[in-house]
Amino acid sequence: MAKAKKISTDQRLGCESLLGCIFQSWSPRRRKPSLPEKDHKAKDYLPPKSTTITNPKIIPRKSTDSFAQTKRQDPQKTKPDESNARKSSDSARKSSDSARKSLSSASPRTESKRFSPNGVMGNIIVKPQPAVKSPDVSQTRSRWEGKTVNYRHDPETLKRMGNEEYCRGRFGEALVFYERAILADPKTPTYWSNKSAALISLGRLLEASDACEEALRLNPNYERAHQRLASLQLRLGEVEKALCHYNQAGKYTETKHIEQVEDVIKCLRRCNEARRSKEWNVVLKETCFVISYGADSSPRVYALQTEALLHLQRQEEAYDVYQKATKRLDIDSFIKIFGLSITSYILMVGSQVYIAAGRFEDAVTASRQASRLDPSNEEVKAVARKARAVAAARLTGNLLFNASKFEAACVVYTEGLEQDPCNALLLCNRAASRFKLGQFEKAIEDSTLALNLQPSYRKARRRRADSYAKLEKWQHAIQDYELLMMETPEDEETRRVLADANVRFKGAGSDLVVVN
């Protein structure tokens, strides 16, 4: 019985030391092993954390067991027990190694942890927890999403709820809370200023400017609102107003803000000088500088850029730029923020853009609005006359063309082109009249001029291709027909004439690869 007790005790010591090593290496937080109770005389011996154990065996362990201490003092008597304990530890190691192999693919370990079994304790296997990614604040769900919100809270609570939504990137929901707070207490400037911040994030700059001005009306010394309105005015191109508000923003104004405004003022001054001297390349370059310096939402700057592109015969680009400038065109708001003269200038440039695009009715409407805002401006009057002239020429010419009076229609289109020599639509219509009159060379000239102004003008390209075909210039005709097929591959009529041109060109004795 004594011998059996000796063996069981050493086996217990060996297993305890092995399990202690396993638990230390497995713990994800690398916790320091807890100290024994106070009545113990010594601490358990554990290997240091940096130790790499490739073949764990019985680790020496100080025990308070008096019987184990006496047996360990006699090495001759402990040899058989050590061999038995080694056998038991080998069997425990094998079971732990099999558990490690089954779980090693679940989560890779660092170099210092490769030796350890993956969390095996008795019959409990602890699987490693997957790494939890920090959620994106802008994509998290609102605490009020799917719930009925009580808007009868006090305004400060509504403001805090709006601030929470704003920080999460839900500016529309934040705007709702700020507006509810304003309804409850319309005389607190903070609510108006916060509403302005939400509107800026939503891209509604004109409304944000109104909200900031209301906050300053309630508290003229509100420095944060002055700073916010100054940044708004800079983006809208109202640099003088921006500079004035920056000077009243106190601690919120930095030196770089003043320098930024001064740079925009210099560029705008050079823009106006180049426009008076009709140096349109300089105007285009300086407007790009103004936009890069911070006036990225100024209708006036985009109108200057549009006018420069029109004079440089880049009509399609001009149309796109003007559409960006007047995405939210509200004449009353424009007059309030920019004044009558600048709003009239923006409408005048819009009339020119619509003339170039063939939207003559819109051109006439815009020119009338510009004349009403600035009736003494001679430049606006000239644009209004041109809009009416080209609109009348297009209307009259189309009536004559539909009545098969092609020569008279050609004369009327020519009169309209005298008012606007670079009108692609009138050039294309005159090309159609000349095609009907058999003047194919002149039809090609007009179509080519129209395509130079607007390269994506399909009607002009089709008229030129048909004119080339009539003159039996098959190679040029095929090139235009191929471009048309690339734009509209479902057009069966173009496919048919392209195939016919290929056949005729090959019949003329030229080498040509037939195009699909």
Side-chain angles (χ1 to χ4, degrees):
M1 292 297 292
K3 185 177 182 180
K5 186 174 182 181
K6 293 177 186 178
I7 296 173
S8 61
T9 304
D10 288 344
Q11 287 178 347
R12 178 175 58 81
L13 290 174
C15 293
E16 286 179 357
S17 61
L18 176 62
L19 290 176
C21 175
I22 291 171
F23 180 76
Q24 180 194 8
S25 61
W26 161 81
S27 176
R29 297 186 182 178
R30 304 284 295 173
R31 295 177 178 174
K32 184 176 181 180
S34 59
L35 296 175
E37 299 294 333
K38 292 182 180 180
D39 57 344
H40 288 185
K41 297 181 180 179
K43 300 179 182 178
D44 291 345
Y45 174 79
L46 291 176
K49 296 182 180 180
S50 61
T51 304
T52 303
I53 303 175
T54 57
N55 188 15
K57 295 183 179 181
I58 302 174
I59 298 175
R61 177 186 177 94
K62 293 184 179 181
S63 175
T64 58
D65 188 81
S66 60
F67 179 79
Q69 290 178 357
T70 57
K71 292 300 176 183
R72 192 171 287 116
Q73 291 173 359
D74 190 0
Q76 294 179 354
K77 294 181 180 180
T78 56
K79 286 182 180 178
D81 298 338
E82 288 177 358
S83 62
N84 292 335
R86 185 178 295 109
K87 291 180 182 179
S88 62
S89 63
D90 290 340
S91 62
R93 187 183 70 252
K94 290 180 182 179
S95 62
S96 63
D97 289 340
S98 61
R100 182 180 70 249
K101 291 178 181 178
S102 62
L103 294 173
S104 60
S105 60
S107 63
R109 297 284 182 173
T110 58
E111 290 295 327
S112 63
K113 300 181 182 179
R114 287 182 181 175
F115 69 90
S116 63
N118 196 357
V120 181
M121 292 185 63
N123 61 348
I124 301 175
I125 299 177
V126 182
K127 295 184 178 180
Q129 298 295 327
V132 180
K133 296 181 179 180
S134 58
D136 187 0
V137 175
S138 62
Q139 296 179 358
T140 54
R141 291 170 59 88
S142 171
R143 58 183 291 191
W144 299 286
E145 188 171 347
K147 300 180 182 179
T148 302
V149 180
N150 183 12
Y151 291 108
R152 296 183 179 179
H153 290 294
D154 63 285
E156 280 298 315
T157 302
L158 292 170
K159 186 194 77 170
R160 286 195 298 270
M161 295 164 75
N163 292 346
E164 181 177 340
E165 293 299 294
Y166 185 91
C167 293
R168 291 175 179 269
R170 288 184 285 270
F171 307 114
E173 291 82 353
L175 178 62
V176 173
F177 285 114
Y178 295 145
E179 288 178 341
R180 293 286 180 172
I182 290 170
L183 287 175
D185 184 8
K187 294 185 178 181
T188 301
T190 306
Y191 306 153
W192 290 98
S193 181
N194 288 9
K195 177 183 176 180
S196 174
L199 289 168
I200 291 172
S201 300
L202 292 171
R204 295 155 61 177
L205 302 185
L206 300 181
E207 299 175 57
S209 178
D210 293 339
C212 262
E213 289 179 355
E214 181 63 23
L216 291 173
R217 187 188 66 81
L218 295 170
N219 183 6
N221 300 321
Y222 192 0
E223 294 181 349
R224 187 70 179 89
H226 276 294
Q227 187 273 337
R228 185 162 286 152
L229 184 56
S231 63
L232 268 172
Q233 298 288 6
L234 175 62
R235 292 187 64 185
L236 293 172
E238 295 299 295
V239 286
E240 291 81 6
K241 297 178 182 178
L243 189 60
C244 177
H245 286 291
Y246 271 133
N247 291 330
Q248 301 179 63
K251 62 181 180 181
Y252 294 101
T253 300
E254 301 179 11
T255 305
K256 63 179 182 180
H257 297 149
I258 304 299
E259 293 175 352
Q260 189 178 13
V261 175
E262 290 175 350
D263 290 338
V264 174
I265 290 173
K266 293 176 183 178
C267 289
L268 285 175
R269 189 179 299 117
R270 289 194 291 266
C271 279
N272 294 329
E273 293 173 357
R275 182 177 179 272
R276 284 192 292 268
S277 59
K278 300 188 183 302
E279 299 176 9
W280 301 112
N281 283 314
V282 177
V283 173
L284 186 60
K285 182 180 70 173
E286 293 298 330
T287 53
C288 292
F289 286 151
V290 171
I291 293 171
S292 65
Y293 289 153
D296 56 353
S297 301
S298 173
R300 177 191 176 189
V301 173
Y302 283 115
L304 284 166
Q305 195 174 70
T306 301
E307 188 178 19
L309 290 169
L310 285 174
H311 284 89
L312 294 173
Q313 311 302 328
R314 296 160 62 177
Q315 295 182 357
E316 292 181 348
E317 296 178 59
Y319 185 84
D320 294 337
V321 171
Y322 186 77
Q323 291 297 113
K324 184 178 180 180
T326 58
K327 185 182 297 184
R328 293 183 175 90
L329 177 60
D330 183 358
I331 295 178
D332 294 334
S333 298
F334 274 41
I335 293 172
K336 180 180 178 182
I337 296 175
F338 307 112
L340 290 173
S341 60
I342 293 180
T343 305
S344 175
Y345 170 71
I346 294 169
L347 291 170
M348 181 196 71
V349 174
S351 177
Q352 293 175 308
V353 170
Y354 294 141
I355 289 172
R359 296 171 53 179
F360 297 130
E361 292 78 9
D362 294 334
V364 171
T365 302
S367 63
R368 286 176 179 171
Q369 292 173 339
S371 299
R372 187 164 55 250
L373 296 177
D374 193 0
S376 61
N377 192 322
E378 294 297 329
E379 193 175 7
V380 173
K381 292 179 181 179
V383 172
R385 286 194 299 268
K386 183 170 73 172
R388 290 193 296 268
V390 295
R394 197 273 298 267
L395 179 61
T396 307
N398 288 353
L399 292 174
L400 292 171
F401 185 90
N402 293 332
S404 299
K405 299 179 180 179
F406 305 116
E407 189 171 356
C410 187
V411 172
V412 172
Y413 291 139
T414 303
E415 292 175 355
L417 286 167
E418 291 175 357
Q419 299 293 326
D420 185 14
C422 297
N423 192 278
L425 187 141
L426 292 180
L427 286 168
C428 186
N429 286 5
R430 191 171 70 175
S433 300
R434 287 176 169 177
F435 180 86
K436 292 293 186 180
L437 292 171
Q439 301 173 4
F440 303 119
E441 292 287 352
K442 292 184 177 181
I444 290 172
E445 291 177 5
D446 285 344
S447 300
T448 303
L449 288 174
L451 287 170
N452 290 338
L453 295 168
Q454 298 182 16
S456 60
Y457 198 174
R458 294 191 71 257
K459 284 187 177 181
R461 191 171 298 280
R462 179 58 186 269
R463 299 236 165 90
R464 190 174 71 173
D466 292 341
S467 300
Y468 279 134
K470 289 293 185 180
L471 294 173
E472 297 185 356
K473 295 182 179 181
W474 302 112
Q475 189 172 1
H476 298 294
I478 288 170
Q479 289 177 357
D480 282 338
Y481 286 137
E482 286 175 351
L483 291 173
L484 291 170
M485 284 301 301
M486 291 173 62
E487 295 175 2
T488 55
E490 71 281 354
D491 190 349
E492 294 297 332
E493 177 64 20
T494 304
R495 187 184 299 276
R496 184 186 63 79
V497 295
L498 175 59
D500 183 65
N502 276 319
V503 171
R504 291 176 180 272
F505 188 46
K506 290 166 63 178
S510 299
D511 296 331
L512 178 71
V513 178
V514 179
V515 180
N516 293 329

